[in-house]
Amino acid sequence: MSVYVKSYRRSSRGRRWLSLALQYLCMALILVVMLFPFFWLLASSLKSPEDLEALPPVWWPEHPAFSSYRTVFEVTPFARAILNSLVVTVSSTVGILLTSIMAGYVFAKHQFRGKNALFVGVLATMMVPQFVMLIPLYRMMVALHLDNTYPGLILPNLANGFGIFLMRQFIAGIPDELLEAARLDGASEWTLLWRVVVPLLRPAAAALVLFAFVFQWNNFLWPLSMVYSREMSTVVLSLNGLRTYTSSVTFTNIVMAGTAIGILPSVVLTLWAQRYFIEGISLTGIKG
Amino acid sequence: MRQGQRSLIRSRSLATVGFLSPGLGLLIVFVAVPILLTAWISLHQGSMAIPYSRMRWVGFSNYAAILEQPIFRTALLNVFLYSLANLVIILPLAILLGLFLYQAQIYGRNLLRTVLFLPYMIPTVAVAIVWGYLYEPQYGPLNEILGWLHLPAQGWLGSVHEAMLSLVILNVWQTLGYYVVMVVAGLTEIPQEYYEAAALDGAGWWRRHWSITLPLLRRTLAFVFVILTINTLQVFDPVYVLTQGSPVNSTDVAAYEMYITAFNYGQAGLASAMAMVMLAIVLVLSLLQLRLFRSL
């Protein structure tokens, strides 16, 4: 009996060990696959033209050279592109935050006729592909002489269905009693929104700010259609330009250096605040 | 008192209108009106520069024209295949990785989640640029790795048969983490007691997940399915950056074809008809999927 128990226990411990080892192996495999492109991006940006032309390919340069990170600012107005991207992204993010909080509050806490139909309409805008609006938007901006300008880049991105939806979901979770109490104290709706609702909304607002920032920073189709001068180019647009005009393999380091700089804000924000992203996705996913 | 109440209600409905108008106004001007205008242009003949008033009414002939064009039919077929391939690969992988992330009792789960999620947040253009170099047949690392495994080198983006698949792999790498996070969120909603009861009844791992996880994850999976379909049907950035539809139109997709018809050929009428066809397809497919999953 005791022998049986011992051997059983040993085999169970062995199985547990095996299962753990398998889990770590799986994790290592996924990490390698997911991180390899980042590794190649970094390694290539540090290679010399000789490394880039070498066959078989060099994996990590023997003498990492940071010069391409300077060159990228010389071959293209990359500093200007960073400034442009920041101006456009920050403005749209602020706009999206304000419009989403206000509309989200009304959809969550006010009653009026046709509310549901209107909200369904807002949700429906999330399903519409960006390119469906592209031609009229482009013509609109040309007619207003706003093509190739900051307002032209920013205006269509000051509100979106996702933001309103996200804010409504969060605000719906705030107890009505809290609002009623403030109303009895004579607070106007405006005060109520900014003094009572918004302070409770901080994690949700953080999620929205991060999402809006990252998606505006990454936007390609709209600047591609609208911008025609190098001075108004955004970072993402410049990256595409860099790649197109430096097709020779010896310039890979410059393209990769630009790309590394271009993804930096998104990477830093994601690592710094991933908790909020995850919460945001989870909320839209579960209750969607 | 009555007076005060009435003024309160009036101020609240004023707030309703006031708070809604900026957001809704912008959505109307920059989403709803442009959709209607695209529909309007699609029924007219016109270049990109011609004013709306001078466009000539042509009825549905733009639609007839694009559906007769072999190139647009190819682009439609390609984007369907792209979408389908992504669904077939991402859906099971997202469930498996979601279960793994949720259940694995190992250190570094958070690291794994971060790393999986990270590519979703970086610009698709940047992802496309990096993968373009990974796929590079001569200087790229992928063929080198295949060589170590004694597998033949591939043409990747340069091959008619592999270019589309290469774009699919790129998208799986970039977006998988997003769907995994959604699956994990869905898993946390399933009460643990169900699993304990099933384990007591002697149900194995496979059976437990088949009869508990999948049915209870239905809503999450429906959401993943719909979002995945909507996102993949609009694919544009990697095609524009990497292939421009080549080789031999094998990666030509609807959004790309619409873009060059409008901005390179200047044919606003035809391009708008393409946009409307895609809009109809996206809407019909997502509504069908939602209904289908609801009835399950």
Side-chain angles (χ1 to χ4, degrees):
Chain A
M1 180 64 190
S2 78
V3 171
Y4 171 77
V5 167
K6 209 181 251 168
S7 85
Y8 171 77
R9 201 181 275 159
R10 190 178 301 148
S11 92
S12 135
R13 193 185 293 162
R15 265 177 58 186
R16 207 182 122 62
W17 190 87
L18 188 73
S19 138
L20 261 186
L22 270 176
Q23 290 181 20
Y24 278 110
L25 193 71
C26 273
M27 185 168 91
L29 197 72
I30 301 167
L31 284 180
V32 168
V33 171
M34 294 312 292
L35 289 176
F36 182 72
F38 290 103
F39 162 77
W40 196 257
L41 166 66
L42 189 66
S44 306
S45 73
L46 300 175
K47 286 176 191 170
S48 65
E50 294 75 41
D51 292 332
L52 290 164
E53 272 184 317
L55 282 175
V58 172
W59 286 69
W60 185 259
E62 212 171 309
H63 306 287
F66 288 87
S67 57
S68 53
Y69 284 85
R70 199 172 52 236
T71 319
V72 71
F73 286 89
E74 288 158 6
V75 295
T76 177
F78 205 59
R80 178 63 199 256
I82 293 174
L83 175 74
N84 293 342
S85 274
L86 278 176
V87 169
V88 171
T89 306
V90 170
S91 319
S92 328
T93 304
V94 171
I96 288 172
L97 185 68
L98 294 179
T99 54
S100 300
I101 288 179
M102 293 200 288
Y105 171 67
V106 169
F107 279 122
K109 295 296 180 192
H110 281 193
Q111 305 305 329
F112 58 94
R113 270 234 303 260
K115 184 171 99 164
N116 286 341
L118 212 54
F119 190 59
V120 169
V122 169
L123 293 186
T125 63
M126 283 200 279
M127 288 207 251
V128 181
Q130 207 190 349
F131 62 79
V132 174
M133 284 84 79
L134 194 61
I135 295 171
L137 277 186
Y138 170 79
R139 295 173 55 107
M140 197 188 284
M141 294 308 161
V142 172
L144 298 169
H145 301 289
L146 289 177
D147 51 331
N148 204 40
T149 66
Y150 285 143
L153 283 168
I154 296 165
L155 276 174
N157 296 311
L158 285 176
N160 65 40
F162 173 76
I164 296 175
F165 172 60
L166 192 72
M167 287 301 114
R168 192 209 85 107
Q169 297 297 83
F170 272 97
I171 296 172
I174 296 175
D176 285 332
E177 294 76 34
L178 210 60
L179 304 182
E180 285 309 323
R183 279 187 190 127
L184 283 180
D185 286 345
S188 71
E189 289 296 299
W190 182 255
T191 332
L192 200 65
L193 177 61
W194 298 106
R195 290 283 157 79
V196 181
V197 174
V198 169
L200 294 170
L201 213 59
R202 232 170 250 159
L208 181 57
V209 164
L210 296 168
F211 269 117
F213 188 95
V214 167
F215 284 105
Q216 295 309 323
W217 183 272
N218 296 354
N219 194 356
F220 180 55
L221 186 59
W222 183 233
L224 177 71
S225 317
M226 257 254 309
V227 170
Y228 53 77
S229 77
R230 274 156 63 104
E231 283 61 44
M232 282 310 295
S233 175
T234 62
V235 169
V236 165
L237 205 54
S238 300
L239 291 182
N240 177 57
L242 261 181
R243 196 192 115 93
T244 315
Y245 296 115
T246 53
S247 51
S248 158
V249 68
T250 50
F251 292 129
T252 305
N253 50 1
I254 301 170
V255 183
M256 291 296 222
T259 308
I261 298 169
I263 69 169
L264 202 61
S266 314
V267 171
V268 170
L269 273 181
T270 309
L271 296 183
W272 178 56
Q274 62 149 320
R275 189 164 68 84
Y276 297 119
F277 286 113
I278 309 271
E279 271 172 26
I281 296 177
S282 308
L283 200 77
T284 51
I286 293 169
K287 298 187 180 150
Chain B
M1 179 66 199
R2 264 246 178 96
Q3 192 66 36
Q5 220 165 16
R6 206 175 293 158
S7 87
L8 254 183
I9 289 174
R10 204 175 49 216
S11 84
R12 199 184 303 178
S13 44
L14 257 174
T16 303
V17 176
F19 289 174
L20 271 183
S21 13
L24 287 192
L26 285 162
L27 285 183
I28 289 170
V29 174
F30 294 113
V31 181
V33 169
I35 293 174
L36 294 178
L37 285 174
T38 301
W40 196 85
I41 301 173
S42 77
L43 300 171
H44 291 73
Q45 192 186 42
S47 72
M48 285 295 278
I50 192 172
Y52 287 108
S53 55
R54 296 211 354 244
M55 289 186 177
R56 196 162 55 82
W57 169 267
V58 292
F60 284 91
S61 67
N62 283 329
Y63 290 88
I66 57 166
L67 293 174
E68 270 166 31
Q69 277 177 11
I71 183 86
F72 186 64
R73 288 212 303 261
T74 309
L76 272 184
L77 183 67
N78 282 340
V79 79
F80 281 135
L81 288 176
Y82 175 84
S83 198
L84 193 67
N86 271 296
L87 275 171
V88 168
I89 300 173
I90 289 180
L91 214 50
L93 269 183
I95 298 174
L96 280 178
L97 284 177
L99 280 172
F100 181 68
L101 259 186
Y102 186 58
Q103 293 181 336
Q105 279 147 9
I106 51 178
Y107 293 104
R109 264 172 31 177
N110 282 341
L111 172 75
L112 187 61
R113 189 181 66 178
T114 309
V115 169
L116 269 169
F117 183 60
L118 189 57
Y120 183 70
M121 304 306 281
I122 64 181
T124 308
V125 172
V127 172
I129 288 173
V130 174
W131 278 80
Y133 290 115
L134 295 180
Y135 283 137
E136 158 62 41
Q138 209 180 352
Y139 302 99
L142 290 188
N143 273 347
E144 174 79 359
I145 295 172
L146 288 182
W148 297 346
L149 304 169
H150 300 286
L151 293 168
Q154 304 295 318
W156 302 112
L157 294 167
S159 148
V160 181
H161 304 292
E162 292 165 9
M164 203 53 166
L165 187 64
S166 307
L167 293 180
V168 171
I169 295 173
L170 180 160
N171 188 60
V172 171
W173 180 83
Q174 190 187 7
T175 61
L176 181 62
Y178 171 68
Y179 301 107
V180 170
V181 169
M182 288 193 359
V183 168
V184 171
L187 286 173
T188 55
E189 295 284 291
I190 301 177
Q192 211 54 42
E193 294 85 51
Y194 290 175
Y195 293 106
E196 285 156 17
L200 279 180
D201 288 344
W205 187 91
W206 191 250
R207 170 121 188 94
R208 281 205 301 272
H209 289 304
W210 185 259
S211 339
I212 299 174
T213 311
L214 280 185
L216 290 178
L217 211 55
R218 199 173 57 231
R219 291 195 59 179
T220 305
L221 292 183
F223 198 62
V224 169
F225 208 94
V226 172
I227 296 207
L228 195 47
T229 311
I230 295 177
N231 285 351
T232 48
L233 284 179
Q234 343 182 1
V235 59
F236 174 81
D237 298 5
V239 173
Y240 188 88
V241 173
L242 286 176
T243 65
Q244 310 254 319
S246 70
V248 213
N249 302 327
S250 63
T251 60
D252 198 353
V253 291
Y256 179 73
E257 196 53 39
M258 181 255 146
Y259 181 86
I260 56 169
T261 305
F263 288 89
N264 292 17
Y265 310 147
Q267 295 182 307
L270 289 178
S272 296
M274 292 177 184
M276 290 315 286
V277 169
M278 280 312 287
L279 177 62
I281 291 173
V282 168
L283 289 184
V284 168
L285 275 184
S286 15
L287 292 179
L288 269 183
Q289 288 172 353
L290 280 176
R291 177 145 303 176
L292 191 74
F293 278 106
R294 205 159 285 165
S295 69
L296 277 178

Tab-separated table of all heavy atoms in Angstrom, chain B residues 262-292:
chain	number	residue	atom	x	y	z
B	262	ALA	N	-9.446	56.163	-56.914
B	262	ALA	CA	-9.768	57.544	-56.565
B	262	ALA	C	-8.567	58.459	-56.735
B	262	ALA	O	-8.634	59.470	-57.429
B	262	ALA	CB	-10.291	57.615	-55.130
B	263	PHE	N	-7.443	58.089	-56.100
B	263	PHE	CA	-6.350	59.051	-55.985
B	263	PHE	C	-5.305	58.941	-57.096
B	263	PHE	O	-4.608	59.901	-57.365
B	263	PHE	CB	-5.694	58.943	-54.601
B	263	PHE	CG	-6.577	59.490	-53.520
B	263	PHE	CD1	-7.497	58.681	-52.877
B	263	PHE	CD2	-6.521	60.826	-53.162
B	263	PHE	CE1	-8.339	59.190	-51.886
B	263	PHE	CE2	-7.343	61.352	-52.176
B	263	PHE	CZ	-8.256	60.525	-51.545
B	264	ASN	N	-5.182	57.801	-57.747
B	264	ASN	CA	-4.243	57.709	-58.867
B	264	ASN	C	-4.938	57.902	-60.207
B	264	ASN	O	-4.414	58.558	-61.092
B	264	ASN	CB	-3.519	56.363	-58.867
B	264	ASN	CG	-2.586	56.229	-57.682
B	264	ASN	OD1	-2.686	56.969	-56.712
B	264	ASN	ND2	-1.672	55.272	-57.756
B	265	TYR	N	-6.134	57.323	-60.357
B	265	TYR	CA	-6.850	57.459	-61.628
B	265	TYR	C	-7.885	58.579	-61.580
B	265	TYR	O	-8.449	58.936	-62.613
B	265	TYR	CB	-7.547	56.135	-62.007
B	265	TYR	CG	-6.649	54.914	-61.933
B	265	TYR	CD1	-7.161	53.675	-61.567
B	265	TYR	CD2	-5.286	55.003	-62.232
B	265	TYR	CE1	-6.344	52.557	-61.489
B	265	TYR	CE2	-4.466	53.891	-62.154
B	265	TYR	CZ	-4.998	52.673	-61.784
B	265	TYR	OH	-4.195	51.571	-61.699
B	266	GLY	N	-8.188	59.098	-60.379
B	266	GLY	CA	-9.112	60.222	-60.262
B	266	GLY	C	-10.555	59.895	-60.566
B	266	GLY	O	-11.361	60.794	-60.805
B	267	GLN	N	-10.928	58.621	-60.582
B	267	GLN	CA	-12.300	58.266	-60.931
B	267	GLN	C	-13.152	58.110	-59.682
B	267	GLN	O	-13.345	57.004	-59.159
B	267	GLN	CB	-12.302	56.995	-61.766
B	267	GLN	CG	-11.623	57.235	-63.097
B	267	GLN	CD	-11.650	56.019	-63.972
B	267	GLN	OE1	-11.241	54.944	-63.572
B	267	GLN	NE2	-12.133	56.204	-65.186
B	268	ALA	N	-13.683	59.254	-59.228
B	268	ALA	CA	-14.412	59.274	-57.959
B	268	ALA	C	-15.661	58.396	-58.016
B	268	ALA	O	-16.001	57.735	-57.036
B	268	ALA	CB	-14.784	60.710	-57.600
B	269	GLY	N	-16.369	58.397	-59.152
B	269	GLY	CA	-17.603	57.619	-59.264
B	269	GLY	C	-17.349	56.135	-59.072
B	269	GLY	O	-17.996	55.474	-58.251
B	270	LEU	N	-16.388	55.618	-59.824
B	270	LEU	CA	-16.072	54.185	-59.716
B	270	LEU	C	-15.582	53.840	-58.305
B	270	LEU	O	-16.010	52.848	-57.709
B	270	LEU	CB	-14.997	53.801	-60.738
B	270	LEU	CG	-15.425	53.782	-62.196
B	270	LEU	CD1	-14.239	53.424	-63.083
B	270	LEU	CD2	-16.557	52.784	-62.413
B	271	ALA	N	-14.675	54.680	-57.768
B	271	ALA	CA	-14.118	54.400	-56.446
B	271	ALA	C	-15.219	54.429	-55.387
B	271	ALA	O	-15.229	53.601	-54.473
B	271	ALA	CB	-13.022	55.408	-56.110
B	272	SER	N	-16.146	55.372	-55.507
B	272	SER	CA	-17.237	55.442	-54.531
B	272	SER	C	-18.116	54.206	-54.617
B	272	SER	O	-18.592	53.698	-53.587
B	272	SER	CB	-18.089	56.690	-54.767
B	272	SER	OG	-17.312	57.834	-54.555
B	273	ALA	N	-18.356	53.725	-55.821
B	273	ALA	CA	-19.141	52.499	-55.958
B	273	ALA	C	-18.432	51.338	-55.259
B	273	ALA	O	-19.053	50.531	-54.570
B	273	ALA	CB	-19.373	52.180	-57.431
B	274	MET	N	-17.101	51.271	-55.418
B	274	MET	CA	-16.336	50.221	-54.728
B	274	MET	C	-16.492	50.347	-53.222
B	274	MET	O	-16.714	49.364	-52.513
B	274	MET	CB	-14.853	50.326	-55.082
B	274	MET	CG	-14.527	49.989	-56.516
B	274	MET	SD	-12.769	50.233	-56.825
B	274	MET	CE	-12.707	49.900	-58.584
B	275	ALA	N	-16.395	51.598	-52.718
B	275	ALA	CA	-16.524	51.822	-51.277
B	275	ALA	C	-17.895	51.381	-50.798
B	275	ALA	O	-18.022	50.743	-49.744
B	275	ALA	CB	-16.284	53.294	-50.947
B	276	MET	N	-18.934	51.692	-51.563
B	276	MET	CA	-20.288	51.317	-51.141
B	276	MET	C	-20.460	49.796	-51.142
B	276	MET	O	-21.110	49.242	-50.257
B	276	MET	CB	-21.340	51.961	-52.053
B	276	MET	CG	-21.471	53.466	-51.907
B	276	MET	SD	-21.512	54.071	-50.212
B	276	MET	CE	-23.149	53.581	-49.703
B	277	VAL	N	-19.898	49.133	-52.146
B	277	VAL	CA	-19.983	47.673	-52.184
B	277	VAL	C	-19.330	47.087	-50.930
B	277	VAL	O	-19.893	46.210	-50.259
B	277	VAL	CB	-19.312	47.111	-53.461
B	277	VAL	CG1	-19.151	45.607	-53.370
B	277	VAL	CG2	-20.140	47.480	-54.692
B	278	MET	N	-18.150	47.623	-50.590
B	278	MET	CA	-17.462	47.114	-49.396
B	278	MET	C	-18.255	47.408	-48.131
B	278	MET	O	-18.358	46.576	-47.231
B	278	MET	CB	-16.072	47.743	-49.278
B	278	MET	CG	-15.018	47.114	-50.153
B	278	MET	SD	-15.006	45.317	-50.029
B	278	MET	CE	-14.285	45.094	-48.411
B	279	LEU	N	-18.824	48.619	-48.057
B	279	LEU	CA	-19.616	48.979	-46.879
B	279	LEU	C	-20.782	48.003	-46.726
B	279	LEU	O	-21.046	47.489	-45.631
B	279	LEU	CB	-20.140	50.411	-47.014
B	279	LEU	CG	-21.044	50.891	-45.877
B	279	LEU	CD1	-20.295	50.904	-44.560
B	279	LEU	CD2	-21.613	52.280	-46.163
B	280	ALA	N	-21.472	47.723	-47.848
B	280	ALA	CA	-22.606	46.799	-47.794
B	280	ALA	C	-22.139	45.425	-47.325
B	280	ALA	O	-22.777	44.800	-46.471
B	280	ALA	CB	-23.267	46.713	-49.165
B	281	ILE	N	-21.018	44.973	-47.867
B	281	ILE	CA	-20.520	43.646	-47.492
B	281	ILE	C	-20.187	43.594	-46.001
B	281	ILE	O	-20.572	42.662	-45.286
B	281	ILE	CB	-19.288	43.272	-48.338
B	281	ILE	CG1	-19.723	43.040	-49.788
B	281	ILE	CG2	-18.585	42.042	-47.777
B	281	ILE	CD1	-18.579	42.839	-50.742
B	282	VAL	N	-19.477	44.617	-45.514
B	282	VAL	CA	-19.087	44.635	-44.099
B	282	VAL	C	-20.324	44.647	-43.207
B	282	VAL	O	-20.428	43.877	-42.246
B	282	VAL	CB	-18.189	45.863	-43.797
B	282	VAL	CG1	-18.038	46.057	-42.299
B	282	VAL	CG2	-16.829	45.698	-44.443
B	283	LEU	N	-21.304	45.508	-43.540
B	283	LEU	CA	-22.493	45.601	-42.698
B	283	LEU	C	-23.285	44.296	-42.717
B	283	LEU	O	-23.648	43.769	-41.669
B	283	LEU	CB	-23.375	46.759	-43.154
B	283	LEU	CG	-22.824	48.149	-42.861
B	283	LEU	CD1	-23.817	49.227	-43.269
B	283	LEU	CD2	-22.476	48.299	-41.389
B	284	VAL	N	-23.525	43.771	-43.907
B	284	VAL	CA	-24.312	42.540	-44.009
B	284	VAL	C	-23.624	41.400	-43.266
B	284	VAL	O	-24.244	40.684	-42.476
B	284	VAL	CB	-24.550	42.166	-45.486
B	284	VAL	CG1	-25.091	40.755	-45.600
B	284	VAL	CG2	-25.517	43.154	-46.129
B	285	LEU	N	-22.321	41.263	-43.481
B	285	LEU	CA	-21.597	40.170	-42.827
B	285	LEU	C	-21.627	40.308	-41.316
B	285	LEU	O	-21.880	39.342	-40.600
B	285	LEU	CB	-20.141	40.129	-43.310
B	285	LEU	CG	-19.887	39.356	-44.592
B	285	LEU	CD1	-18.400	39.323	-44.890
B	285	LEU	CD2	-20.410	37.932	-44.474
B	286	SER	N	-21.390	41.526	-40.788
B	286	SER	CA	-21.349	41.620	-39.329
B	286	SER	C	-22.735	41.415	-38.729
B	286	SER	O	-22.849	40.808	-37.676
B	286	SER	CB	-20.712	42.929	-38.844
B	286	SER	OG	-20.624	43.866	-39.841
B	287	LEU	N	-23.780	41.924	-39.384
B	287	LEU	CA	-25.119	41.701	-38.838
B	287	LEU	C	-25.489	40.221	-38.889
B	287	LEU	O	-26.034	39.678	-37.935
B	287	LEU	CB	-26.148	42.540	-39.598
B	287	LEU	CG	-26.001	44.047	-39.378
B	287	LEU	CD1	-27.026	44.831	-40.177
B	287	LEU	CD2	-26.109	44.386	-37.895
B	288	LEU	N	-25.148	39.569	-40.003
B	288	LEU	CA	-25.405	38.125	-40.119
B	288	LEU	C	-24.702	37.364	-39.013
B	288	LEU	O	-25.292	36.490	-38.360
B	288	LEU	CB	-24.913	37.607	-41.468
B	288	LEU	CG	-25.907	37.615	-42.618
B	288	LEU	CD1	-25.277	37.001	-43.857
B	288	LEU	CD2	-27.163	36.848	-42.223
B	289	GLN	N	-23.435	37.702	-38.800
B	289	GLN	CA	-22.656	36.991	-37.779
B	289	GLN	C	-23.261	37.201	-36.398
B	289	GLN	O	-23.400	36.263	-35.622
B	289	GLN	CB	-21.210	37.472	-37.791
B	289	GLN	CG	-20.440	36.984	-38.995
B	289	GLN	CD	-19.083	37.621	-39.097
B	289	GLN	OE1	-18.751	38.525	-38.335
B	289	GLN	NE2	-18.282	37.168	-40.037
B	290	LEU	N	-23.620	38.464	-36.105
B	290	LEU	CA	-24.188	38.746	-34.786
B	290	LEU	C	-25.478	37.946	-34.580
B	290	LEU	O	-25.707	37.373	-33.530
B	290	LEU	CB	-24.469	40.238	-34.636
B	290	LEU	CG	-23.237	41.075	-34.288
B	290	LEU	CD1	-23.583	42.550	-34.246
B	290	LEU	CD2	-22.652	40.639	-32.944
B	291	ARG	N	-26.321	37.922	-35.621
B	291	ARG	CA	-27.585	37.191	-35.517
B	291	ARG	C	-27.330	35.693	-35.336
B	291	ARG	O	-27.923	35.043	-34.495
B	291	ARG	CB	-28.413	37.442	-36.768
B	291	ARG	CG	-29.695	36.662	-36.774
B	291	ARG	CD	-30.819	37.411	-37.424
B	291	ARG	NE	-31.058	38.701	-36.801
B	291	ARG	CZ	-31.963	39.574	-37.260
B	291	ARG	NH1	-32.638	39.290	-38.334
B	291	ARG	NH2	-32.151	40.714	-36.649
B	292	LEU	N	-26.398	35.205	-36.134
B	292	LEU	CA	-26.064	33.783	-36.077
B	292	LEU	C	-25.613	33.391	-34.680
B	292	LEU	O	-26.066	32.407	-34.106
B	292	LEU	CB	-24.955	33.495	-37.089
B	292	LEU	CG	-24.641	32.036	-37.356
B	292	LEU	CD1	-25.745	31.445	-38.202
B	292	LEU	CD2	-23.304	31.916	-38.075
